[in-house]
Amino acid sequence: MLHLRLITPSDTTDDVVRLIGRTTGTTHLVVLPGAARNPSGDVVMCDVAREAGDELIGGLRELGIDRSGSISVENIDLSLSLRADKAEEDAPGEGADAVLWEQLSDATHEESTLTITYVAFLVIATMIAACGVVLDNAILIVGAMAVGPEFGPLAGFCTALVRKSPRLAWRSLVALLVGFAVAMAVTVGFSYFMDAVNLFSEGQLEADRPNTGFIYAPDWFSFVVAVLAGAAGTLSLTSAKSGALVGVAISVTTVPAAANAAVALSYGDAGQMWGSTQQLLLNLLGIVLAGTVTLLAQKYLWAKQRERTARKLTKS
């Protein structure tokens, strides 16, 4: 269930209440006339089944509540109410399958913004991965994958393609390109420093690396895994099951590939640098392709579900 708290101008409150009343899956309606001060107006609260949330939020935006007042949405962790149970039963489909597009856009907008914190995480992850590739240490590689924040801009780019939002697409692309460029540049300097203090050596990079050699040797499995991870990560975001994102992060080799390319560049190894770059691009392409297709499929299937529900209601 979702909890909505609305601030509505007094002259639109009745329209809002009617919209909530005719939306299947809503309950616990509360109206507090004149309770809001900034902006002034009425406070309207209700609970709505997740699967009906996108429809209701869309209707509220059509009434202009996001411009003249406010729309706040919270997840309800526990609701002990027969009315809430009935609302969820009446709402079409399953809550886990529903996509709250406004929530997804807001989340990916925040995650895909180029910030100092985002760049810092990506730089640290890439330097950890650099240690992993030189030492041929799979544990460090996995740790670097988990630290890397690059899935946020990738998800933002997929969302922008589906929602046809050029600004979000540009923001996400800038975060990816600038973030990886800075991370790789810093890692090149880090590699020079580690070599100067005799912690890195060209011999370690060129030696047989059974645990990390795959990073600069991309193949079809790299693309397949990236596609599967992209689909899983997108489903994790849209279903609010964030725990799956950790598994997604340690399934793709974006950060390790960037790190291997940076270290190879510092030692002038064009072969490893090109192979790692291919691995990086292949993973990015697979994630974007899978994420976009997954969102399109969810959008199509959910629209069909709503059409079937509408036909049933019309017949009854």
Side-chain angles (χ1 to χ4, degrees):
M1 293 289 289
L2 302 172
H3 177 70
L4 270 65
R5 189 190 72 243
L6 315 171
I7 296 178
T8 65
S10 299
D11 57 348
T12 62
T13 299
D14 289 342
D15 294 332
V16 169
V17 171
R18 279 193 292 270
L19 172 63
I20 294 173
R22 66 172 180 262
T23 301
T24 304
T26 59
T27 187
H28 302 155
L29 175 63
V30 177
V31 180
L32 303 175
R37 294 292 181 268
N38 184 23
S40 60
D42 304 331
V43 174
V44 179
M45 295 180 286
C46 71
D47 295 341
V48 59
R50 180 181 172 84
E51 50 269 43
D54 191 60
E55 177 185 358
L56 179 56
I57 293 171
L60 292 169
R61 296 198 66 180
E62 289 179 5
L63 291 174
I65 303 303
D66 56 323
R67 298 184 297 275
S68 59
S70 76
I71 304 172
S72 300
V73 184
E74 299 174 342
N75 286 306
I76 299 177
D77 294 327
L78 177 64
S79 179
L80 302 177
S81 167
L82 290 177
R83 288 182 177 274
D85 294 341
K86 181 66 166 56
E88 289 190 313
E89 290 176 4
D90 292 341
E94 295 293 333
D97 296 332
V99 180
L100 296 177
W101 291 102
E102 295 299 335
Q103 186 183 56
L104 179 63
S105 296
D106 184 68
T108 52
H109 180 278
E110 181 180 350
E111 293 295 325
S112 60
T113 302
L114 184 65
T115 63
I116 294 176
T117 301
Y118 164 80
V119 174
F121 269 116
L122 193 54
V123 167
I124 292 170
T126 307
M127 290 193 293
I128 292 173
C131 296
V133 298
V134 172
L135 298 175
D136 194 34
N137 189 315
I139 295 176
L140 291 177
I141 295 297
V142 172
M145 290 175 174
V147 172
E150 73 279 6
F151 189 79
L154 289 169
F157 191 73
C158 296
T159 304
L161 292 179
V162 174
R163 303 213 70 188
K164 300 177 181 178
S165 175
R167 291 183 63 184
L168 179 57
W170 176 248
R171 183 187 299 271
S172 303
L173 192 60
V174 167
L176 279 173
L177 295 179
V178 175
F180 271 110
V182 172
M184 293 175 72
V186 172
T187 303
V188 170
F190 176 70
S191 180
Y192 283 134
F193 170 77
M194 295 294 279
D195 182 81
V197 296
N198 296 319
L199 292 176
F200 281 9
S201 70
E202 186 174 2
Q204 289 174 298
L205 181 71
E206 302 297 340
D208 289 335
R209 288 156 45 196
N211 294 320
T212 59
F214 70 93
I215 293 173
Y216 59 89
D219 54 22
W220 278 107
F221 279 106
S222 302
F223 183 73
V224 169
V225 171
V227 167
L228 295 175
T234 303
L235 288 172
S236 175
L237 286 177
T238 57
S239 63
K241 297 184 182 298
S242 58
L245 282 177
V246 177
V248 172
I250 61 176
S251 298
V252 291
T253 53
T254 48
V255 167
N260 201 92
V263 176
L265 176 61
S266 70
Y267 286 112
D269 188 332
Q272 284 202 38
M273 184 179 66
W274 174 238
S276 301
T277 303
Q278 286 181 303
Q279 181 77 271
L280 174 61
L281 296 176
L282 202 60
N283 276 267
L284 294 176
L285 176 62
I287 293 172
V288 169
L289 179 63
T292 303
V293 171
T294 300
L295 287 176
L296 288 172
Q298 288 182 291
K299 186 176 182 180
Y300 173 78
L301 293 174
W302 191 250
K304 289 296 183 182
Q305 174 66 46
R306 290 176 62 175
E307 288 177 7
R308 287 194 295 269
T309 303
R311 285 197 296 267
K312 289 180 182 178
L313 292 174
T314 302
K315 290 179 181 178
S316 60

